[in-house]
Amino acid sequence: MAVYLEHFGLSQAPFGLTPNTGLYQALLPHDEAIQVLQTALKSGEGFIKVSGEVGTGKTLLCRKLLNEMADDYQFAYLPNPCLSAEQIHAALASELGLQIEANASSHSVLESIHHHLIELATQQRPVVLLIDEAQALSDEALEVIRLLGNLETEQRKLLHVVLFGQPELDERLATQQLRQLRQRITFSYRLRALEKDEVASYIQHRLHLSGYRGGPLFTAASLKMLTRASRGIPRLINILAHKVLMLCYGQGAQQVSVKMVKQAVADTEDAVRPQSQTSWLVLAVSACVAVAAAAWWSLSL
């Protein structure tokens, strides 16, 4: 638990790194992604893809989908993409609650899955396979998943597949050897980073849901710097905001300053660092030297 909760009157940590659907905010990129997923599933589409940079909220969306649509669908969730063909079949069978013998062949496991999917279809219970970090799947694994998408009756698909992955997934699907899977993807959405106003809303929303009721916690300048340093990526926003609140608490302050954000940025690997005064001084001195040298050269001619 964050040490600064009592200092700011918080009931929970507002900027944890574990995806927390209780703090979810329907900002435009995430709300659009949810709507695409819901529409695609209701349409009975086989393959759906959601891609986005590291930290843009793909896992949070996945969990949001699990929480909101669990009454209408039977979900199977595979968070670990580093699986062989046999392991994918076994993991799907386990998620569906099937009892599989230890020495069962891949074919028999697939047959059991197929029969169970047909049974669930008769109960009007569509099955959705959610795969996180899909960019890490091997070509063999992606082909296995494509073949799972072939399971169907004459009227409907028996299994819907949602792939969540980084932009590398888009690059891999663009290759010739994966064109069959690419053509099966009928709905896709690319998550973008948050814009300036969305970052401010995101921070305020999380603070409010976590119990904060004080005055503005960030100055306009400190919020601007945090927005730039995080590039609008929710995970980086969380990391930086958590660190500046720790600095606030450590200094007994009630408001985040620009200096605190600079310190947090300097301590965060992937944050965009502001150009320091020293670097500007070096550039200025270099420019002066260049001008002086040019003037001396022209006089000596």
Side-chain angles (χ1 to χ4, degrees):
M1 182 176 291
V3 296
Y4 52 73
L5 296 188
E6 185 177 351
H7 180 73
F8 293 108
L10 299 170
S11 57
Q12 62 177 329
F15 302 109
L17 293 185
T18 302
N20 183 353
T21 56
L23 294 175
Y24 176 83
Q25 183 183 15
L27 291 170
L28 185 60
H30 300 100
D31 193 39
E32 284 183 347
I34 286 289
Q35 289 180 30
V36 167
L37 288 166
Q38 290 175 338
T39 299
L41 291 176
K42 289 176 181 176
S43 301
E45 300 299 338
F47 282 88
I48 309 156
K49 173 175 62 70
V50 176
S51 61
E53 281 291 348
V54 176
T56 48
K58 298 181 296 295
T59 301
L60 180 64
L61 283 176
C62 187
R63 294 188 180 181
K64 183 74 171 172
L65 195 67
L66 282 166
N67 291 346
E68 288 196 349
M69 304 185 73
D71 292 339
D72 301 318
Y73 296 89
Q74 172 72 51
F75 284 105
Y77 177 45
L78 300 186
N80 176 19
C82 300
L83 301 173
S84 65
E86 292 78 11
Q87 289 171 329
I88 288 174
H89 288 157
L92 177 56
S94 176
E95 283 289 295
L96 294 175
L98 297 175
Q99 299 297 321
I100 303 298
E101 296 181 4
N103 59 350
S105 68
S106 182
H107 176 73
S108 65
V109 174
L110 185 56
E111 281 295 303
S112 297
I113 291 172
H114 193 185
H115 290 312
H116 190 61
L117 291 177
I118 292 174
E119 181 182 342
L120 289 171
T122 62
Q123 300 171 12
Q124 301 298 311
R125 184 84 173 161
V127 180
V128 182
L129 174 60
L130 304 174
I131 302 178
D132 207 358
E133 302 292 348
Q135 77 282 345
L137 288 165
S138 66
D139 286 357
E140 177 194 20
L142 285 169
E143 177 62 11
V144 167
I145 291 164
R146 183 185 72 82
L147 293 174
L148 284 171
N150 287 341
L151 300 176
E152 59 189 2
T153 65
E154 292 184 358
Q155 292 81 29
R156 71 185 74 179
K157 292 285 185 183
L158 293 174
L159 183 68
H160 310 286
V161 181
V162 184
L163 301 171
F164 293 89
Q166 295 169 20
E168 291 84 348
L169 176 63
D170 297 326
E171 295 171 8
R172 291 188 59 205
L173 289 172
T175 60
Q176 181 72 5
Q177 63 266 30
L178 294 177
R179 67 188 184 282
Q180 287 182 299
L181 176 56
R182 180 176 68 247
Q183 290 173 1
R184 297 287 185 89
I185 298 172
T186 51
F187 280 79
S188 63
Y189 187 82
R190 180 73 175 266
L191 276 173
R192 61 167 174 79
L194 302 183
E195 297 176 352
K196 178 183 175 182
D197 292 344
E198 292 170 333
V199 172
S201 177
Y202 175 88
I203 290 174
Q204 182 58 36
H205 175 81
R206 283 183 163 247
L207 286 170
H208 183 78
L209 289 185
S210 298
Y212 183 70
R213 296 296 183 270
L217 195 51
F218 288 79
T219 64
S222 64
L223 182 58
K224 181 179 180 180
M225 180 174 288
L226 188 146
T227 300
R228 180 178 180 277
S230 68
R231 306 192 302 282
I233 297 174
R235 184 181 297 166
L236 277 175
I237 296 170
N238 286 0
I239 292 172
L240 292 171
H242 173 66
K243 288 180 178 179
V244 296
L245 291 188
M246 288 186 68
L247 287 167
C248 251
Y249 165 74
Q251 296 175 22
Q254 293 295 329
Q255 191 174 53
V256 175
S257 67
V258 168
K259 183 179 179 180
M260 292 174 189
V261 177
K262 285 183 178 179
Q263 290 175 308
V265 170
D267 187 57
T268 304
E269 288 291 333
D270 205 27
V272 177
R273 286 161 174 71
Q275 197 162 20
S276 65
Q277 291 181 352
T278 302
S279 62
W280 279 107
L281 179 61
V282 170
L283 288 173
V285 170
S286 298
C288 289
V289 169
V291 170
W296 178 84
W297 178 258
S298 63
L299 290 173
S300 63
L301 293 178

